[in-house]
Amino acid sequence: MEKPKVLYIDDEPINLELFRMMFRSSLQVLIANTPEKAHEQLQENPEIQVLISDLNMPEMNGYQLIEQLHSQFRPIPAFILSGHHPDDAINQHPYKEKITGYFQKPLDKNHILNEINKAIGTNN
Amino acid sequence: MEDAGIRIRTAVEVREYLVETTLKVFAILSFFAVLLLSGRAYNLEFTVSYFIQVPTCLFIMLTYLFRARLKTKVKSLILSFGLILILASGILSYGILASTKHLIILIPVFSSMLFGFRKALQVFLSVLLIYIGLGVLHILGFLQLPRNADLLVRSPSTWILDVFILLASGLVILQLVHNFLEVLNMQFEKAAVQHQVLSKQEEEYRTLFEQTRDSVFLLEGTQIIRMNSSAKALSAQILHGELLDDFCKLLPPEQPNGQESKPYFKAQLKKLSERNNMHFEIQLLTAEGKWAFFEISSSVILTAEKEYTQLILKDISSRKRQEEEIRQNRIELEQRGIELEKINEELQRGNSALLQKKDELEDALMKLQSTQSQLIETEKMASLGILTAGVAHEINNPLNFIQSSLYAMDEILEDSSLEAHIELRTELNLLRNTMQTGISRVSEIVKSLNHFSRKSDDKREPVLLSKIIQNCLAILNHELKNRVRVFVDFLENEPQILGNESKLHQVFLNLILNAAQAIPGKGEIEINFKTLHQQFCVELIDTGTGIPPQILEKIFDPFFTTKPAGKGTGLGLSIVQQIVHDHQGSIRFESNPGKGTRVILNFPILPAENGKA
């Protein structure tokens, strides 16, 4: 069974690196540190199964980015990742409904894997 | 005579003295007379007069000897009769030649001591008549000289006797005159002294009378017979200087009370004469036409002949004026008093209103204070919420670095290339687990803080607290079993409350766990329910160590804990309080250090129809 292909977007390079390392054995992690990079990655790798985005980013937040990507490509299952509690004000975004799931930092590896697998499973 | 120096004071004493002196002189003379009479009788013959005169003389001598026992009157009587006897016997014998006839002069002297002037004069004239009668008897020849007169005249004893009788009479008269003059002189002196004393006294009394400031009148009827200078001045003032002889002229026609003055005055005087120590007031009109008040005291003076009235007028106009002023002042004061009472009443009303206001203000203040503390609490919690939201995010991010690194490390350690270093792996595993524990703990705290930052899960539904509590007890069973016995006093028809089951679950889990942890060895927890005033009350009573007062104040403060570091966040009870308040409930701790703690929770009861619906 092939490892699921995931695009992870975060403005902090260290997070990108750590995420890739922690899922080295379980996921194919593609990374992008700006919205432009994310666009490029999706154009180059249309087979990406899951989008995971950080919430707080300088150009646009995670919801806005996913909304954009969904509209330009296709409604790929997407997760938001943040240090904020899911009920915090910042999370009350209109596009929240379209998001598959929410991971709060510090990340729970198994929980993430389960959710991703669930998303891929239902989607397929 | 030698006794002339003796002070003689009264007529009685003078008489006594005279009688005494006369008796003494007579006694001495009688002694010599008896000798002479006896000698002459022996030479010439013993006559009848001899036998009368000698015993009389002896009797006088005897009287002299017993003079102390006899009264003056008796002695005077004896002397008078003696004189008469001697006189009569002498004249009977010798007629005109009798030397004893000189003794007649002494008759009025002694008889005046026995009787009054008239009687003495009568006695004297009677004796004189007897003498004249005897003379007539001699002239007519019925009586004859017993002897040759020539022989009698030539007898020296006759002359001596005569001289003695003259001497005695002279001495008695001299004594008499001397004493009389002395007494007279003395009386004059006494009178002069008395006069001086009297005139001095008179002056004093006059001064007293004249200088009295009160006007004093002495009346006979209504006629004034005497008045002092004040009275004169008063009458002059009232009557324009006219001479006043009738007191009634001082009176105006009418008194201020409307009565006619004269009848009123007379009636008052009459009353005064009946009862002493009374006075009355009367009003007089002065020349200037002003009213003047006088107080009149009067006394009736009765003498043998007449009845006088003494009137003393005291000017009491100023006193009357003062009395009037005092009366006016009193009326004013009474009015003031009434005003003050009114003011006082108003003040009291105002005061009670103020007191009421004060109570209201106190109530309002208390409400404000409790609201303020609630606000402070809310504000504190709100600030904490904002803070914790930020902090949580900022902590979660770096925490994620560690967590992700750890996962990454795991991935690396999974690599087969390191499998050989089993010992190293074991050590790394230990370190890894420690790090994971640290991350979990920090993460747990941050999650707890999230309770303050949001009002999430606002799902409310009717719940039964007893069910929630039973659930909590089931979860805590491993913590409680064999150590803490729990008694739950369930309520029949327990009311429902509107609440969030999971939050309330958190509340009771926290409270029961706290209670269990407060019990050092074995103990009990008692849970009671009751309803009161639309409130559902839950009481949790433990037999734990209790909470000291200084700690009791702080138990709801976030981060306050008595547990060792790492064992508690200090957030439990503050979250509990937050949840209870979110349910419009209240929570209160009562503790008896060493005995245990009682937690009292109140929640508003859900009205029955809502509960059914």
Side-chain angles (χ1 to χ4, degrees), chain B residues 156-422:
Chain B
S157 63
T158 304
W159 285 98
I160 289 166
L161 197 64
D162 207 38
V163 166
F164 268 116
I165 286 167
L166 282 174
L167 183 67
S169 305
L171 281 176
V172 167
I173 286 165
L174 190 63
Q175 181 67 37
L176 194 73
V177 171
H178 173 78
N179 284 340
F180 176 72
L181 282 177
E182 199 177 55
V183 168
L184 205 64
N185 212 15
M186 219 166 59
Q187 289 298 336
F188 270 125
E189 273 173 25
K190 209 166 145 189
V193 169
Q194 272 176 348
H195 175 74
Q196 256 186 347
V197 170
L198 280 175
S199 62
K200 201 179 165 202
Q201 278 179 349
E202 199 268 349
E203 199 186 325
E204 283 168 4
Y205 283 124
R206 178 176 294 280
T207 312
L208 206 63
F209 176 72
E210 287 295 337
Q211 299 301 315
T212 305
R213 279 168 67 193
D214 301 335
S215 306
V216 185
F217 294 85
L218 195 63
L219 307 181
E220 201 182 328
T222 58
Q223 295 296 115
I224 295 170
I225 56 167
R226 187 154 294 174
M227 54 185 165
N228 70 354
S229 49
S230 297
K232 280 172 195 156
L234 175 71
S235 57
Q237 187 193 355
I238 293 172
L239 294 170
H240 303 273
E242 273 179 39
L243 211 64
L244 177 74
D245 55 2
D246 186 349
F247 181 82
C248 288
K249 281 183 186 168
L250 284 173
L251 298 170
E254 279 185 2
Q255 288 295 303
N257 58 13
Q259 280 185 291
E260 271 187 63
S261 286
K262 277 187 192 177
Y264 170 72
F265 174 68
K266 281 177 181 163
Q268 291 296 334
L269 273 191
K270 203 181 168 205
K271 267 194 215 166
L272 284 180
S273 65
E274 286 161 3
R275 289 172 67 184
N276 285 328
N277 299 327
M278 263 184 69
H279 52 78
F280 66 97
E281 285 170 13
I282 199 159
Q283 203 170 24
L284 306 177
L285 197 61
T286 64
E288 291 90 45
K290 284 181 186 170
W291 288 105
F293 282 94
F294 287 89
E295 183 187 85
I296 297 187
S297 48
S298 94
S299 44
V300 176
I301 301 163
L302 282 170
T303 65
E305 300 107 39
K306 278 177 182 170
E307 185 181 312
Y308 300 101
T309 308
Q310 187 200 43
L311 293 181
I312 298 172
L313 275 74
K314 198 185 191 81
D315 190 343
I316 54 164
S317 304
S318 62
R319 199 181 82 194
K320 278 275 174 187
R321 273 198 298 277
Q322 280 170 356
E323 276 175 7
E324 181 60 21
E325 277 171 26
I326 287 167
R327 203 175 63 85
Q328 290 291 346
N329 285 344
R330 207 182 57 217
I331 290 166
E332 245 172 70
L333 278 176
E334 276 169 7
Q335 273 171 348
R336 288 268 170 81
I338 292 164
E339 282 168 24
L340 279 174
E341 264 174 30
K342 274 186 196 163
I343 290 169
N344 192 23
E345 275 171 24
E346 278 170 27
L347 280 174
Q348 277 174 344
R349 274 202 295 276
N351 195 23
S352 61
L354 278 175
L355 280 176
Q356 213 179 332
K357 283 267 170 65
K358 186 183 152 241
D359 286 347
E360 285 170 14
L361 282 174
E362 272 175 5
D363 282 354
L365 182 64
M366 265 165 65
K367 277 180 196 160
L368 274 176
Q369 278 174 342
S370 74
T371 310
Q372 190 199 28
S373 61
Q374 278 172 16
L375 276 175
I376 286 169
E377 197 65 21
T378 310
E379 185 57 29
K380 213 158 76 179
M381 288 301 163
S383 313
L384 193 66
I386 293 162
L387 185 72
T388 51
V391 167
H393 176 253
E394 293 312 314
I395 288 171
N396 282 342
N397 274 315
L399 203 57
N400 194 48
F401 293 165
I402 304 166
Q403 180 65 75
S404 298
S405 301
L406 214 53
Y407 288 135
M409 233 165 69
D410 284 346
E411 291 289 324
I412 294 163
L413 286 171
E414 292 290 329
D415 277 6
S416 53
S417 58
L418 283 166
E419 264 174 36
H421 307 284
I422 294 170

Side-chain angles (χ1 to χ4, degrees), chain A residues 8 12 14-15 17-26 54 56 81-88 104-110, chain B residues 389-390 392-393 396-397 399-413 415 439 443 446-447 450 453-454 456-457:
Chain A
Y8 174 54
E12 281 200 64
I14 189 166
N15 277 339
E17 207 52 49
L18 282 171
F19 193 84
R20 199 156 60 177
M21 283 174 79
M22 68 189 268
F23 291 108
R24 193 168 64 175
S25 60
S26 43
D54 188 29
N56 287 357
L81 193 151
S82 167
H84 286 291
H85 191 275
D87 296 332
D88 280 359
Q104 194 184 2
K105 291 176 185 176
L107 300 175
D108 184 333
K109 191 180 167 186
N110 293 331
Chain B
H393 176 253
N396 282 342
N397 274 315
L399 203 57
N400 194 48
F401 293 165
I402 304 166
Q403 180 65 75
S404 298
S405 301
L406 214 53
Y407 288 135
M409 233 165 69
D410 284 346
E411 291 289 324
I412 294 163
L413 286 171
D415 277 6
I439 292 162
S443 179
V446 174
K447 271 185 199 156
N450 277 326
S453 60
R454 65 215 142 65
S456 59
D457 285 6

Side-chain angles (χ1 to χ4, degrees), chain A residues 78-122:
Chain A
F79 292 90
I80 290 287
L81 193 151
S82 167
H84 286 291
H85 191 275
D87 296 332
D88 280 359
I90 196 164
N91 280 312
Q92 311 312 312
H93 193 273
Y95 206 67
K96 196 183 175 184
E97 300 170 14
K98 301 285 163 66
I99 303 295
T100 313
Y102 187 91
F103 304 133
Q104 194 184 2
K105 291 176 185 176
L107 300 175
D108 184 333
K109 191 180 167 186
N110 293 331
H111 175 64
I112 293 172
L113 284 175
N114 284 340
E115 291 295 307
I116 286 172
N117 287 330
K118 241 195 271 175
I120 294 168
T122 51

Side-chain angles (χ1 to χ4, degrees), chain A residues 24-84:
Chain A
R24 193 168 64 175
S25 60
S26 43
L27 298 171
Q28 275 187 72
V29 179
L30 300 175
I31 54 169
N33 66 344
T34 59
E36 291 77 37
K37 282 267 174 68
H39 277 264
E40 282 171 27
Q41 286 281 17
L42 266 176
Q43 271 172 347
E44 287 166 21
N45 307 291
E47 72 280 12
I48 286 170
Q49 292 166 289
V50 172
L51 297 174
I52 300 172
S53 174
D54 188 29
L55 180 60
N56 287 357
M57 288 183 294
E59 284 176 54
M60 58 181 72
N61 72 28
Y63 292 107
Q64 290 166 322
L65 177 62
I66 284 164
E67 190 178 4
Q68 236 177 50
L69 295 175
H70 276 184
S71 65
Q72 285 185 14
F73 300 93
R74 57 190 170 88
I76 308 164
F79 292 90
I80 290 287
L81 193 151
S82 167
H84 286 291

